Amino acid sequence: MSVETPAFSLSEQELEQIERRFAEIRTLARGREKALFGVFDGPLTTEETWALKFLYVHMPLNDLADYDGSLFLAHVRQALAVRKRVPWGDRVPDPLFLHFVLPCRVNTENIEKFREVIYAELGPRTAGCSMAEAILEANYWCHEKATYIGSDLRTLSPLGMIRNARGRCGEESTLAVAALRSIGIPARQCYTPRWAHCDDNHAWVEAWADGKWHYIGACEPEARLDQGWFSGPARRAMLVHTRVPATYPGPEEITVKGGPYAELNLLANYAPTRTIAVEVREADGTPAAGARVQFQLYNYAELFPLAELVTDDQGEARFTTGYGDLIVRAVRNEAWGQRKIRIADGDRFEVVLNGAISDQPIGTEDFEMVPPPELDGPESEPLSAELLRRHEQRVAEGAALRRAYEETFLTEAEAEQLAAQLGLPAERLWKVLEPARGNGREIAAFLEERVPEHGEWPLLLLESLREKDLTDTMRETLDDHLAGSLPWKDSYGRELFVPYVMCPRVLFEMIGPYRKELQARFTEAEVAFYQEDPSRIARLLNEGWDLREGPGNLRGKAGPLGTFQLRVADKGSLDILFVALCRSLGIPARLHPSEQKPQYNAGGTWVDAPVGPVREEADTEEEALRRIGMLRLRREAEGRTDEPVASYMENFTLARLEGGYYKTLLYPHGKTDVYDTAFEVEPGEYRITTGVRLKDGTVLGRLTYCRVDEQTETQVTLSFPAPSQHIPVYGTPDPQTPLWRADGTKTTLSALSGGERGAMIAWLEPDREPSKHLLRETGELAETFDVLGIPVIFVLGSDDGKPALAAPALPTASLPGGTVFVSDPGYAALKDLTAAGIQLGGGGFPHLFALDREGNIRYMQSGYKPGSGKEALQVLSEL
């Protein structure tokens, strides 16, 4: 095709580059030629043609596998139409339109036709707005649609998020970016992959208005731009990044560039930064060109790689980060080197590759990781009382609209009625209908249609899914997996059949219907052939599929049917296809719970499947059993009273050395029964990371090294660094501080908190994510609070001097039995604390205090800090 006609202000060279790359994509995706590229045979304008090619050129493998060209063309046409319709359309430069408006993917969500749906609601509301006003209005709209709740790592689509009315920050920000792009405003999702001062991460949104990028908290509206509860924590971040199509020509620093995407480092928008140079040297002192350098941060009890860069010809890698501590690990060929660095100490650091790639240190190694310091933000002009009043009113109205929608969900009474109609246990039925939320009636209709014919099996299928799956899995999909699995229901016991044959969920891919189509690709003789030896399915995939790796966050997300048709996949998606094929042919299969390797069940034994670049031949059952070692953790010596309760991914993790880096094993977050049973692991070199996080965010860490051999039990002491035992007194509030009960009666702080073990008290903003974190943590710690008899007091304040006692709902955990919600009209009691000289932190709500039996404050924390509830409980238990 000729490239003479200019399109989107792209140069002839840029158009030729897109054309060349498009031809490569078309060759790569020839397995889905008609589905993907048939749209180019229809009538297209020049703009539509080049916009569509731009999308294809920057498309990850899983999008080529899972979606059809008609979907992408619908996005293109709607984006172009809105650009012509909105008043700021001609003010958005072409590069920003192409990179931050046109893309239909934000994160790892399922792609749907969201633009028309969102524009139909949001377009009229923003028609008379400036760009800045439209950004604020879009966030009010998002707040009406959804709010925060913690959930698993699969990302709901924007329409799925609206149906569910809640999701984690990555889903809130996906919805907000989609909303802004739907009205023609450039927007991008920003992530700090891990915080430095606490164990968590966060995502928010940047939107472009008339020449400048601004940030907002997704689904958490503020009265003006560049404001949010996370502003303070962001000033302590070590990296904030966003992903963008790789051709983006903007001024931001590119941290990583490869394949269709680039990562932009946006940290300088939020925090003081320093660009450091790491010089990697061979053992003989020569520069190590081409070495892979990871910049690692302690978080969730592992050394997490914030970024991985490759050294240049001089052996140098440059990285812009915050003023905290990092561990730098470099690997090249058969050698590695590692050191801890403090960014405040300088801007050049040397790492020597003096370790063999298959070896590790012996014994233990302690380290300290200090996060960037807390900093005050810039002074802002105070908002007028009228603007604040109107903002609070709109936030309340938005929450009321969302609650009204939630009231349309199926009720427990309706579930009981349906259970009686179908002859199913009411409690079990409610456990699948309640988490389905806005999708509950779809799930109920599936049960109504299929239970009369199949009895309990449709319910068992639903019970095999994760809670989030129930919110966006439709009848067509459920029917496919029910009908496609039941032929083998009598071949295995339920404990094997339901989770490993019937269940469609493999990893974090979107569940769709695939069994009928996959089964149609095989004759009865072929099914019997593969059932006889499931490793033959691995060989089929290894011989017929092209293995290519894509962007890290999008690996292992393609659906099985798309991967089967495309015949190109990353390793994770190929593993998912193996498991799905096995289950579709009646063979129990899974990804190993901690290693995530594909396995099939043979004679009661889980056998590794040689999918991808692994051992040429599959293990026999005997070899599979032999290739296992045992790692047993022992407690520290008797007498230490401050040893924390071991909790996986909270204060310790296990990792195996692979290719010079450590791969953290995946066990359930918060797993505490770690001394009861030995861990079954592959033979190899292992590192145990333990850590104790201090109140200021500093981590005292310890690395313990060991080796595990085949058919051998290795015993290792799980030891933790010992912090100082001094617990200071931060002040003593007036015991007669007045608070108000739900029935309107007056009480006092001492009346609520008096007890032998003290009390935990916190002032909340229950609609904001930091307070929701604390509420959820407290629910998860309910049993410990109850055993210790520690009362929990949650205080709901108000600016207008009126009581605010609408206690927030907790869908995932019940609060301790000693929990009470009280009101602090006008925040009078909180103001009394500050008047008494007790300095609140600058992080805003929640304001959390642990009071000892005499009423002294022994712990205090303001603002966002996951784990603060556990820290307060730890202080009270030690007292």
Side-chain angles (χ1 to χ4, degrees), residues 296-319:
Q296 300 175 346
L297 181 72
Y298 178 96
N299 197 287
Y300 284 131
E302 67 172 342
L303 296 179
F304 177 83
L306 287 177
E308 181 177 304
L309 306 180
V310 177
T311 56
D312 60 19
D313 291 342
Q314 303 304 312
E316 185 174 290
R318 301 178 69 83
F319 180 53

Side-chain angles (χ1 to χ4, degrees), residues 284-297:
D284 62 4
T286 59
R292 292 183 299 141
V293 183
Q294 286 191 354
F295 297 86
Q296 300 175 346
L297 181 72

Side-chain angles (χ1 to χ4, degrees), residues 491-753:
S491 301
Y492 309 97
R494 284 192 179 185
E495 71 285 350
L496 191 62
F497 172 76
V498 173
Y500 303 118
V501 177
M502 173 180 262
C503 178
R505 163 62 58 219
V506 181
L507 188 59
F508 291 115
E509 75 287 1
M510 178 68 186
I511 297 177
Y514 60 74
R515 292 197 199 226
K516 182 179 179 181
E517 287 213 36
L518 289 181
Q519 289 165 351
R521 305 297 179 101
F522 300 91
T523 65
E524 288 188 16
E526 287 173 328
V527 172
F529 175 76
Y530 290 121
Q531 286 178 333
E532 182 183 17
D533 181 2
S535 69
R536 292 167 175 166
I537 297 178
R539 285 196 288 274
L540 171 71
L541 299 181
N542 290 339
E543 293 166 3
W545 272 256
D546 184 7
L547 192 63
R548 299 199 181 192
E549 293 301 335
N553 70 315
L554 290 167
R555 293 174 191 164
K557 297 296 191 299
L561 183 58
T563 300
F564 190 90
Q565 295 169 339
L566 191 66
R567 293 187 174 260
V568 184
D570 59 62
K571 179 62 167 62
S573 297
L574 202 63
D575 290 345
I576 290 170
L577 175 57
F578 172 83
V579 173
L581 268 176
C582 284
R583 292 180 183 178
S584 297
L585 302 183
I587 303 164
R590 69 175 188 180
L591 297 183
H592 186 280
S594 62
E595 301 280 354
Q596 299 295 289
K597 297 184 304 183
Q599 296 181 314
Y600 60 89
N601 193 279
T605 299
W606 288 105
V607 182
D608 291 348
V611 176
V614 292
R615 291 185 301 275
E616 292 184 3
E617 297 296 330
D619 287 339
T620 64
E621 294 176 34
E622 294 77 12
E623 288 171 334
L625 289 172
R626 189 168 67 246
R627 284 187 53 79
I628 290 295
M630 308 297 287
L631 178 60
R632 184 175 295 277
L633 300 179
R634 298 193 308 251
R635 298 179 189 273
E636 287 196 73
E638 297 293 332
R640 178 172 172 182
T641 60
D642 63 335
E643 180 183 357
V645 176
S647 180
Y648 201 77
M649 294 200 78
E650 291 189 341
N651 55 25
F652 91 98
T653 53
L654 307 176
R656 184 175 60 252
L657 184 62
E658 292 186 359
Y661 294 108
Y662 284 91
K663 173 188 174 184
T664 300
L665 304 188
L666 299 179
Y667 293 103
H669 187 108
K671 175 182 172 66
T672 57
D673 56 343
V674 299
Y675 301 110
D676 301 338
T677 306
F679 291 84
E680 292 186 4
V681 296
E682 285 191 1
E685 304 288 341
Y686 283 83
R687 183 183 72 190
I688 302 172
T689 304
T690 58
V692 176
R693 193 178 287 278
L694 306 182
K695 185 178 180 300
D696 67 355
T698 297
V699 170
L700 305 180
R702 177 168 296 163
L703 305 176
T704 302
Y705 300 95
C706 65
R707 175 169 180 79
V708 178
D709 295 316
E710 292 183 2
Q711 295 182 296
T712 301
E713 179 175 286
T714 301
Q715 297 192 5
V716 182
T717 299
L718 187 62
S719 63
F720 295 85
S724 168
Q725 292 302 297
H726 176 64
I727 302 176
V729 173
Y730 294 98
T732 305
D734 183 352
Q736 299 306 309
T737 297
L739 296 165
W740 302 87
R741 296 183 183 274
D743 61 5
T745 59
K746 182 179 178 181
T747 185
T748 64
L749 182 60
S750 63
L752 294 168
S753 62

Side-chain angles (χ1 to χ4, degrees), residues 148-153 168-170 172 191-204 229-230 233-234 236-240 297-302 304 306 649-650 669 693 697 699 769-774 776-777 780 863-868 871:
Y148 175 81
I149 189 172
S151 64
D152 69 37
L153 293 178
R168 56 180 172 80
C169 61
E172 289 180 304
Y191 253 106
T192 177
R194 298 286 176 94
W195 293 113
H197 68 289
C198 64
D199 293 326
D200 204 356
N201 65 357
H202 190 53
W204 59 90
W229 61 260
F230 55 89
R236 306 185 71 185
M238 296 294 282
L239 176 66
V240 175
L297 181 72
Y298 178 96
N299 197 287
Y300 284 131
E302 67 172 342
F304 177 83
L306 287 177
M649 294 200 78
E650 291 189 341
H669 187 108
R693 193 178 287 278
V699 170
E769 183 175 334
S771 293
K772 290 180 180 181
H773 270 290
L774 179 59
R776 189 178 75 250
E777 284 179 23
E780 292 167 353
Y864 170 79
K865 188 183 181 186
S868 57
E871 290 178 354

